[in-house]
Amino acid sequence: MAQRLLFRRIWTGAPKVFPQNSARTAAVASSSFSTSLQPSLNRGPFLTPSRTLPRSLPLAFHRLVSFNVQDHDDFTERVINSELPVLVDFHAQWCGPCKILGPRLEKAIAKHKGRVAMAKVDIDDHTDLAIEYGVSAVPTVIAIRGGDVIDQFVGIKDDDQLDSFVSKVIGQ
């Protein structure tokens, strides 16, 4: 009986408060299941204004803010041969400052709406890339444009410093 009552409350969109009147509870419990599925006059639309679905989808798909480098060939294709400037974030899973810098850097890059990309390189998985670019500490961020290193920094930065670094890399 309790399951029927719960089902009816969910189905009809009735308030989630259980009735205090025991006579009303008994009347609801004694009704048959087949009558509970009949249309109710007080039932509103299934999707009320507070539960409506979004009316429109974005018309343009934006480029991803960041991507993880899979191997050396992927790095060459997506970073070295990129038409956009790319910030390469050399990080490690065990590095606390890396976990703080990563989201801040993504936020700074997202502000520039597709004019710069970010590649994430885990130094434990890709030690060859870390050695090739002279990474001796993490986090290290290297800016690459046209295959050439144009700027870099080591350590954690605040949001204003990251914004100015990204603006300098894209040439603003």
Side-chain angles (χ1 to χ4, degrees):
M1 293 290 173
Q3 291 175 342
R4 265 192 235 156
L5 179 62
L6 181 61
F7 179 76
R8 177 182 287 162
R9 295 237 180 245
I10 293 171
W11 183 258
T12 61
K16 303 295 187 258
V17 178
F18 290 102
Q20 300 297 326
N21 187 353
S22 61
R24 183 173 175 206
T25 306
V28 169
S30 67
S31 67
S32 68
F33 185 71
S34 62
T35 60
S36 66
L37 293 178
Q38 293 179 0
S40 173
L41 296 176
N42 65 355
R43 183 185 304 162
F46 180 69
L47 290 176
T48 61
S50 64
R51 295 175 16 196
T52 57
L53 298 174
R55 295 274 181 215
S56 64
L57 296 174
L59 297 176
F61 294 100
H62 296 288
R63 184 183 187 111
L64 291 176
V65 173
S66 64
F67 58 90
N68 291 322
V69 173
Q70 303 300 318
D71 56 17
H72 200 281
D73 294 334
D74 185 44
F75 183 84
T76 302
E77 179 184 328
R78 296 172 81 179
V79 176
I80 303 298
N81 298 333
S82 175
E83 295 176 7
L84 295 174
V86 180
L87 297 182
V88 183
D89 178 20
F90 288 93
H91 69 281
Q93 294 294 324
W94 46 264
C95 171
C98 299
K99 293 177 183 178
I100 296 170
L101 180 67
R104 286 184 182 175
L105 194 55
E106 286 181 0
K107 188 172 89 174
I109 290 172
K111 290 179 185 177
H112 293 281
K113 297 179 181 160
R115 291 184 286 180
V116 64
M118 178 175 149
K120 297 179 184 179
V121 178
D122 190 332
I123 61 163
D124 293 330
D125 295 337
H126 307 291
T127 53
D128 56 334
L129 288 172
I131 292 169
E132 183 178 339
Y133 285 93
V135 175
S136 59
V138 288
T140 297
V141 177
I142 298 176
I144 297 177
R145 185 185 313 144
D148 298 326
V149 175
I150 56 173
D151 203 357
Q152 68 181 20
F153 69 85
V154 178
I156 195 164
K157 303 286 184 193
D158 66 5
D159 291 339
D160 293 334
Q161 291 172 324
L162 291 175
D163 288 339
S164 65
F165 181 79
V166 173
S167 296
K168 185 172 96 172
V169 167
I170 63 173
Q172 284 186 339

